[in-house]
Amino acid sequence: MSFFNKIFKKDKQALFPSTDFGRYSDSYKTDEEFDCWDRAVSSFEHGKFVDSIVSLLEFLRIPEQNNVSWQIHKGGVRFEFWQGSRVVRGFADRTGMSAETRIISSSEVPLGLMRHLLELNYTLKFSRFSLDSTNIVCLICDNAASDSPPQKIYQSLREVAIESDRVDEELQKKFEGLSLLRHQSIRQLLAAEKKTKLRYVRQWASEILRELSHGRLNTHIYPGGASFLLLDFLYRTDLLIRPEGRWKEQIRHCHEKYFGESGLEVYEKNKILVEFAQSMAHQKGMHLSKDLYKTPFTFGIPQPEGHRRFVEVFDSQMSEFEWYFESHYEAYAQAICGYIAGHCLYQYALPKPSRDLLMLYFRLTVPSFFQEFGYEDVYLADLESGKKVVTAEVSRIISFYTPNFSGLEADVGHLRFDSRAMFSVSFLGMVRNLQYRDF
């Protein structure tokens, strides 16, 4: 059956039917929101610290998520905002700003916990872990008004939010007798949605493990090929399944072990990724399903980057793709494409046209998954029909963003429909060749 026997109709209500794919990024702000930032800077420069904080909160607010709220109170402002399962509360007046989030509690504080928190404090720039009088572990920040422009306040609140959301379940797992303090922002997914996501992640993991065990490629001689398969799976899981809690932390751990300064050899890094895939293939559904929920976010983890970053990642992998493809290891060539798209969406907040075209890449290469999440499928009789539908989808995305990206064009003539791998690399090549004036 041809790869192009199924792809999807465009959604009439939105650019994509679901907003549940990919991680939140606060890099995509409107002109009105940037006006709020400008007001925050101007207010600070004129000595109006409380007004500056209020304008910053307006900049951070996402009305549809209800993620930020505040009240003017006795010459100052009390505020709170959500980051995943954490709520950060703070107060600012003319003297400065303080904020904290309560993370975990314990009847008796383990000595090892105190040492661990002290070590964590050395990794922080704007905040610190502390223990209150009721044995609750908090993450707090304090900023004096005189030396705290909006940039510093933003970084302080971001660190408190992201670090507390990241470390909560890690502490509970590492030390016994700790109770996680969760808040009511968590909304569990429907049981049917959880079941579908778990089925796909097990299927993907099993296919990769089977390829590594029984495929033609000797991954002991070519460990890089195994890396591409495993990293493609890692990022696809984060992007499409979008787990939270410990499951999300597992993904972050694998990513950092592979790309961080771990000193590990490739085969050792692959071992960590294989263990992750095995846990996904064999883990009981109940254990994983508890990490499938929705929460509001105020700060995003992906780093804002221009389109040039995607170009660099794509170009750096083309010699690898060519070798695996010409050697007839198409599964590995395909995985390189999945790795390029997945890694860039995981690591970077790319310009919106690049981001949405990469999401279209996954719609076209993992079609059955998207079909089960609300995308109507189209049955195509031949490749010519496939070309027409893919071209229409690309044109729709480019047209959608043309008002904000003058001169933006995608060369659909670059696309090749010979095979799944050739289509994938040509599609990503088309994205690579997007012309931006300001990116």
Side-chain angles (χ1 to χ4, degrees):
M1 179 180 293
S2 169
F3 164 58
F4 293 99
N5 277 356
K6 288 185 180 181
I7 59 177
F8 300 96
K9 288 181 181 176
K10 64 183 180 181
D11 178 71
K12 297 180 181 179
Q13 302 300 320
L15 202 55
F16 293 108
S18 175
T19 58
D20 297 330
F21 303 129
R23 295 295 173 184
Y24 170 73
S25 173
D26 55 338
S27 301
Y28 307 116
K29 294 289 187 178
T30 65
D31 290 341
E32 291 77 11
E33 288 165 333
F34 280 118
D35 288 341
C36 295
W37 178 267
D38 292 340
R39 288 198 299 273
V41 173
S42 177
S43 295
F44 176 79
E45 292 173 346
H46 288 84
K48 300 178 180 179
F49 187 69
V50 173
D51 290 346
S52 178
I53 294 295
V54 171
S55 293
L56 178 61
L57 294 171
E58 290 174 338
F59 172 76
L60 295 174
R61 180 173 57 182
I62 308 165
E64 59 270 23
Q65 285 199 40
N66 195 29
N67 63 316
V68 179
S69 62
W70 64 88
Q71 289 182 329
I72 303 299
H73 181 77
K74 295 182 179 179
V77 57
R78 293 195 180 279
F79 62 88
E80 68 177 35
F81 63 86
W82 296 96
Q83 181 74 16
S85 60
R86 307 255 61 81
V87 59
V88 179
R89 295 187 172 93
F91 178 76
D93 60 18
R94 62 183 180 82
T95 65
M97 184 278 299
S98 63
E100 74 166 28
T101 180
R102 304 164 83 226
I103 301 172
I104 211 160
S105 66
S106 175
S107 56
E108 295 184 7
V109 181
L111 182 61
L113 174 62
M114 299 296 290
R115 179 185 178 90
H116 184 66
L117 294 177
L118 183 62
E119 292 172 349
L120 288 176
N121 278 343
Y122 280 103
T123 68
L124 301 175
K125 295 181 179 179
F126 303 97
S127 60
R128 64 191 184 278
F129 287 96
S130 68
L131 195 69
D132 71 9
S133 58
T134 60
N135 288 343
I136 292 178
V137 174
C138 305
L139 186 56
I140 63 177
C141 67
D142 300 291
N143 298 79
S146 58
D147 64 350
S148 299
Q151 295 91 333
K152 184 177 179 181
I153 297 295
Y154 177 92
Q155 293 296 338
S156 298
L157 295 178
R158 183 179 188 276
E159 185 172 86
V160 169
I162 288 179
E163 289 301 316
S164 62
D165 189 49
R166 181 186 68 81
V167 81
D168 51 5
E169 298 204 33
E170 175 190 316
L171 293 177
Q172 188 183 41
K173 182 179 180 181
K174 194 176 184 71
F175 300 98
E176 295 182 358
L178 301 182
S179 299
L180 194 63
L181 300 178
R182 286 195 179 275
H183 303 281
Q184 297 304 311
S185 63
I186 291 177
R187 182 165 64 87
Q188 294 291 330
L189 302 185
L190 296 174
E193 184 174 351
K194 287 186 176 185
K195 184 177 179 181
T196 300
K197 287 189 171 186
L198 291 173
R199 171 163 52 85
Y200 272 95
V201 80
R202 287 198 192 95
Q203 174 187 320
W204 297 335
S206 298
E207 289 171 352
I208 287 165
L209 294 171
R210 187 162 51 249
E211 174 63 34
L212 292 175
S213 298
H214 305 294
R216 291 190 306 112
L217 182 70
N218 187 331
T219 54
H220 296 289
I221 298 177
Y222 302 103
S227 296
F228 286 123
L229 278 181
L230 292 161
L231 289 169
D232 175 25
F233 167 67
L234 183 78
Y235 296 131
R236 192 192 320 164
T237 299
D238 186 80
L239 180 76
L240 302 185
I241 307 302
R242 215 183 82 162
E244 300 293 342
R246 291 185 184 178
W247 192 352
K248 182 174 75 171
E249 186 61 19
Q250 279 183 284
I251 294 172
R252 187 191 69 84
H253 172 77
C254 290
H255 169 81
E256 292 191 352
K257 282 295 183 181
Y258 197 91
F259 292 100
E261 297 178 0
S262 61
L264 299 175
E265 299 292 336
V266 174
Y267 76 90
E268 295 175 298
K269 296 177 180 180
N270 284 349
K271 183 179 179 181
I272 294 171
L273 294 171
V274 166
E275 290 173 353
F276 172 76
Q278 289 172 335
S279 70
M280 295 298 100
H282 305 301
Q283 195 69 263
K284 293 183 178 179
M286 184 61 69
H287 182 80
L288 292 177
S289 66
K290 66 184 181 64
D291 289 332
L292 294 176
Y293 53 82
K294 295 179 182 179
T295 58
F297 287 88
T298 300
F299 296 94
I301 296 176
Q303 307 165 25
E305 290 282 356
H307 182 68
R308 173 57 56 181
R309 180 65 69 182
F310 176 77
V311 173
E312 292 170 356
V313 174
F314 178 86
D315 289 351
S316 68
Q317 303 303 331
M318 279 306 94
S319 61
E320 296 278 1
F321 174 88
E322 290 169 2
W323 187 88
Y324 284 102
F325 184 76
E326 291 171 1
S327 301
H328 305 291
Y329 295 114
E330 186 160 328
Y332 294 87
Q334 180 65 38
I336 291 172
C337 296
Y339 157 74
I340 292 170
H343 176 84
C344 287
L345 289 172
Y346 180 85
Q347 186 78 353
Y348 310 119
L350 298 171
K352 285 185 177 181
S354 302
R355 178 202 63 184
D356 286 358
L357 285 170
L358 293 182
M359 282 302 305
L360 176 59
Y361 166 84
F362 283 100
R363 287 176 61 195
L364 298 171
T365 55
V366 197
S368 62
F369 177 87
F370 281 88
Q371 180 186 355
E372 297 199 44
F373 284 89
Y375 290 77
E376 300 177 35
D377 62 337
V378 170
Y379 294 88
L380 304 172
D382 52 52
L383 294 184
E384 283 301 317
S385 298
K387 291 178 184 179
K388 292 177 182 177
V389 177
V390 173
T391 299
E393 285 292 282
V394 171
S395 298
R396 185 172 70 92
I397 292 172
I398 296 300
S399 298
F400 186 87
Y401 288 115
T402 297
N404 294 321
F405 295 89
S406 178
L408 182 68
E409 292 184 359
D411 181 11
V412 293
H414 184 86
L415 297 177
R416 293 185 57 180
F417 294 79
D418 311 76
S419 68
R420 188 169 185 259
M422 284 310 301
F423 170 78
S424 296
V425 75
S426 68
F427 187 95
L428 296 183
M430 178 196 70
V431 178
R432 181 241 185 261
N433 291 329
L434 287 175
Q435 298 298 312
Y436 289 93
R437 291 184 179 179
D438 300 321
F439 292 87

